[in-house]
Every structure is written in C-alpha cells, then in structure tokens.
C-alpha cells in the first residue's frame, strides 16, 4: 500500500550541543576516546557514493564505567572537489581535516581500503559486537570484514529498516541519555537532517530532502538499529562466557 510522506525537520542542533560527552579527567576529545578502550559497542557504516561523504560510527551502550550511551564518529571524502563543496554547502572540510574530524582521501574517490583499515583498528581497540551496513552498497566490504572475524548485520535504509532506530535515537538524545564526542563535522551533518514521515508516523532521514550531507547521522542511526537488533536477540551463553568479567 502506498503511503504519502511529508518532509520535516528533526532534532534542533541546540539539543545536540547540550549532549556533548565531556568525561571527567579528559582535557581533549582524544583523551575521552581513550577512556572507551575495551568497552562494548555497536557500529554503523554509511557507504555513500565514492565522491560523497562516507561515515563510520561506534555506539557504546551504558555499561560498567559508562552511565549513558556514547557515540564516536569517523568520516571520509575525496580531496578533489573539496573547495567547490565548501562554497556550495557551507561546509568546512579543510578545518575539519586539521582537527581530525574528517579524512580527505587523495584523488576523486573515497579510499574504501582506508575505511576498512579504520574499522579493523576500532575492532581491536574496542569490544565491537556487530557492525551494521546498508547491503545496497557494502557487499564487498562486508565480505572482507566478515573474513577478518567482524560480525556484520545488514541494515537497509528503508522506512522499515530505519524508523525504529531513528525514533529511539531521538528519545535518547532529547533525554540526554545519548552523548557524543566533540566533532564539528558531525554537528554539521546533524543540523542538515530532514526526515520523511509517513501516515503511520514512521520516519527516516532523507538525503534528497536534507540541506547538506547527513551521512554521519545516517551511520549513527544504523549503529542504533544494529544495537536494537542485537540487544533484542536471545543471548548466546557460550559467547557471553568468553567475555571478560563474565559471571553467572
């Protein structure tokens, strides 16, 4: 059945600004990231077209030593065309690269081998349970990651695949139970989001209706969807017993 959709804004960026993660003892955002080493997390990747922004997000649920959800962000785009992009969509890729918020890949396409490398490094540094990817664009990367021992879950960017996670993420952010590292490129993505909402009040971010790139926010929602699927699944006792600190 066809259902008409409307285009609406999402969460005000002022709320995003109030949910930055500033743990005690972390003088710089890189110090905060180190505090998460070894902690349990879920991943989300938005592999956009090779000439656009590609994003990777890690999402840490509440656990010992962590009272709220926390999100970490990575992003890549080709260096070619950056100057034109900055003029067109009021972005600041050069500044974001210098700050470590985005990586500019030499040439005119995103270096997916570099994306894979960073995901593997993250899996080594953190307890990455599962990585969510959109099956429409990630088949080759999924195969390579699975061969390397990383569990991959397909999350389609359809209304059905994205709406529950979009809604849950909004609830957590508005309740200040979802915090995030300092990253002004991610902030720009967040502020660009517009969502499609259908007659059943399902909602998902829409790249073709948003004012600029939203890929980091989409990867964040994919990570949330992955967490929801895995945390709803029946626990695997054998896998749980292998985790550090397990007790019955």
């Amino acid at each position: 059945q066809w259902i008409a959709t409307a285009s609406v804004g999402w969460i005000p960026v002022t709320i995003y600004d109030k949910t930055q993660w500033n743990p005690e003892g972390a003088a710089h955002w890189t110090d905060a990231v180190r505090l998460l080493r070894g902690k349990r997390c879920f991943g989300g990747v938005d592999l956009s077209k090779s000439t656009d922004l590609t994003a990777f997000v890690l999402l840490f649920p509440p656990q010992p030593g962590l009272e709220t959800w926390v999100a970490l962000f990575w992003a890549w785009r080709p260096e070619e065309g950056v100057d034109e992009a900055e003029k067109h969509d009021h972005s600041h890729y050069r500044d974001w690269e210098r700050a470590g918020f985005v990586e500019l890949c030499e040439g005119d396409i995103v270096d997916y081998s570099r994306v894979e490398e960073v995901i593997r490094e993250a899996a080594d540094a953190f307890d990455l349970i599962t990585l969510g990817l959109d099956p429409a664009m990630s088949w080759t990367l999924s195969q390579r990651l699975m061969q390397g021992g990383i569990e991959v879950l397909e999350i389609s960017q359809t209304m059905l695949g994205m709406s529950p996670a979009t809604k849950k993420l909004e609830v957590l952010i508005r309740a200040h139970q979802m915090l995030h590292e300092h990253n002004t490129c991610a902030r720009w993505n967040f502020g660009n989001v517009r969502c499609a909402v259908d007659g059943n009040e399902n909602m998902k971010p829409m790249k073709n209706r948003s004012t600029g790139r939203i890929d980091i926010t989409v990867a964040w929602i994919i990570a949330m969807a992955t967490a929801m699927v895995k945390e709803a699944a029946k626990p695997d006792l054998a896998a749980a017993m292998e985790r550090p600190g397990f007790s019955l």
Side-chain angles (χ1 to χ4, degrees), residues 33-49:
V33 171
R34 282 192 284 271
L35 296 176
L36 295 172
R37 286 190 173 272
K39 292 197 180 297
R40 187 168 62 94
C41 60
F42 304 92
V45 174
D46 182 33
L47 283 178
S48 56
K49 294 178 181 178

Side-chain angles (χ1 to χ4, degrees), residues 19-60:
T19 53
Q20 181 172 305
W21 185 50
N22 298 302
E24 185 176 351
H28 190 263
W29 66 270
T30 53
D31 299 323
V33 171
R34 282 192 284 271
L35 296 176
L36 295 172
R37 286 190 173 272
K39 292 197 180 297
R40 187 168 62 94
C41 60
F42 304 92
V45 174
D46 182 33
L47 283 178
S48 56
K49 294 178 181 178
S50 58
T51 56
D52 290 330
L53 198 65
T54 282
F56 168 46
V57 173
L58 283 182
L59 195 51
F60 296 79

Side-chain angles (χ1 to χ4, degrees), residues 86-99:
E86 289 193 335
K87 294 174 184 176
H88 178 263
D89 55 22
H90 308 291
S91 54
H92 302 279
Y93 289 111
R94 300 286 187 191
D95 291 341
W96 294 332
E97 181 190 34
R98 284 189 287 270

Side-chain angles (χ1 to χ4, degrees), residues 71-121:
L72 302 182
F73 310 118
W74 289 261
W76 300 262
R77 70 146 289 149
E79 185 167 18
E80 187 171 310
V82 161
D83 295 334
E84 293 80 0
E86 289 193 335
K87 294 174 184 176
H88 178 263
D89 55 22
H90 308 291
S91 54
H92 302 279
Y93 289 111
R94 300 286 187 191
D95 291 341
W96 294 332
E97 181 190 34
R98 284 189 287 270
F101 300 148
V102 66
E103 189 171 329
L104 300 180
C105 303
E106 184 177 351
D108 61 353
I109 62 172
V110 171
D111 181 0
Y112 290 141
S113 64
R114 175 59 182 154
V115 177
E116 179 184 350
E117 179 184 3
V118 170
I119 292 172
R120 292 188 185 279
E121 290 172 352

Side-chain angles (χ1 to χ4, degrees), residues 167-184:
K167 289 182 175 181
K168 180 167 183 178
L169 189 59
E170 177 172 359
V171 168
L172 291 171
I173 291 173
R174 288 184 179 275
H176 292 204
Q177 290 300 307
M178 171 68 70
L179 306 183
H180 56 84
E181 66 172 333
H182 171 63
N183 185 309
T184 49

